[in-house]
Amino acid sequence: MAVPSTRAGRDFVMRHGETVYNRAGRMQGDHPHTPLTRAGFAQADAMGAAPKLTLWSSPAGRALQTLAIIAEHLELDWHQARTDARLVEIGMGAWSGRYYRELEAEVGPFVDRGQGLYTRPPEGGEWYDAIAARVSGWVEDTNADPGDRLVVMHGMSSRVLRGVMTGQAVLPGFDAPVAPALRQGSIALIEQGGETIVHRGTGAHETPT
């Protein structure tokens, strides 16, 4: 069981905008940089009206690109954003960069369509309990951050972070607390262990990562 966040400020957890990999149906995982599409830029633009925030991001290029657009809207200095490798996406190991359709033809179904989660880890990849351990470490280490924060990260890892911060039970079969999926460009507000979806993104080419 995860422990709900008790941080004094609010956390706006955002999934980055659509990327060229999302559109093509390719595995992104912890790939360092997969550029945003025009739709991805529009999704980042759409959430620009937000309170003044401390900025956090995964170090992946797609998260930092999304954050750059938001920082411009908020008149905040993108260079002051803090990054942490514990916010990166699930590691996909040997599956990284593969097309979903080709991989499924090769290894059979590997996505639980109801949950939107992978059903097994790839060779050399990561499982959900490992994500929970690293994002929980980030939550603990930054619990004293003052004020409100924007955290820009990824589809899978943000779901686990939200599950951790809202104190959800471990999801059977996946070994970690995992919140419901959100499309690219969506924002979840977490305050004192409770979650509210404050913006739903328009990502049309839905892939788990």
Side-chain angles (χ1 to χ4, degrees):
M1 176 81 71
V3 177
S5 174
T6 58
R7 205 177 70 80
R10 299 176 297 173
D11 286 286
F12 294 86
V13 180
M14 180 184 183
R15 184 179 181 185
H16 63 74
E18 180 189 83
T19 72
V20 293
Y21 271 48
N22 292 138
R23 181 172 288 274
R26 293 182 69 180
M27 291 275 188
Q28 292 183 110
D30 55 351
H31 195 287
H33 185 43
T34 53
L36 299 183
T37 61
R38 285 186 295 175
F41 276 95
Q43 290 156 11
D45 265 325
M47 70 79 54
K52 295 296 183 183
L53 304 162
T54 299
L55 306 177
W56 277 94
S57 179
S58 157
R62 56 196 184 273
L64 290 168
Q65 269 192 300
T66 299
L67 182 59
I69 300 164
I70 297 165
E72 181 181 348
H73 275 287
L74 300 178
E75 299 182 350
L76 296 175
D77 185 356
W78 178 87
H79 296 92
Q80 297 302 311
R82 287 179 279 181
T83 61
D84 195 303
R86 290 174 291 186
L87 301 176
V88 299
E89 185 56 296
I90 185 172
M92 294 312 301
W95 292 359
S96 184
R98 298 287 304 277
Y99 287 96
Y100 280 82
R101 63 182 183 276
E102 293 178 354
L103 191 57
E104 187 167 51
E106 181 181 310
V107 304
F110 59 91
V111 178
D112 181 321
R113 297 296 176 182
Q115 297 287 356
L117 297 170
Y118 302 124
T119 55
R120 60 186 186 274
E123 180 183 352
E126 191 175 31
W127 192 237
Y128 298 102
D129 56 349
I131 301 174
R134 58 178 166 85
V135 299
S136 294
W138 177 82
V139 169
E140 182 178 351
D141 290 347
T142 64
N143 191 57
D145 279 4
D148 296 340
R149 306 187 294 194
L150 173 67
V151 185
V152 183
M153 46 192 304
H154 309 274
M156 291 285 196
S157 59
S158 67
R159 292 181 64 182
V160 178
L161 176 66
R162 290 164 47 220
V164 166
M165 295 183 79
T166 56
Q168 295 190 25
V170 170
L171 188 64
F174 299 97
D175 302 325
V178 185
L182 294 173
R183 289 182 177 273
Q184 298 99 352
S186 296
I187 309 168
L189 165 61
I190 298 175
E191 184 174 16
Q192 293 293 303
E195 178 178 83
T196 305
I197 307 305
V198 295
H199 181 76
R200 294 189 182 274
T202 58
H205 299 268
E206 189 58 30
T207 54
T209 67

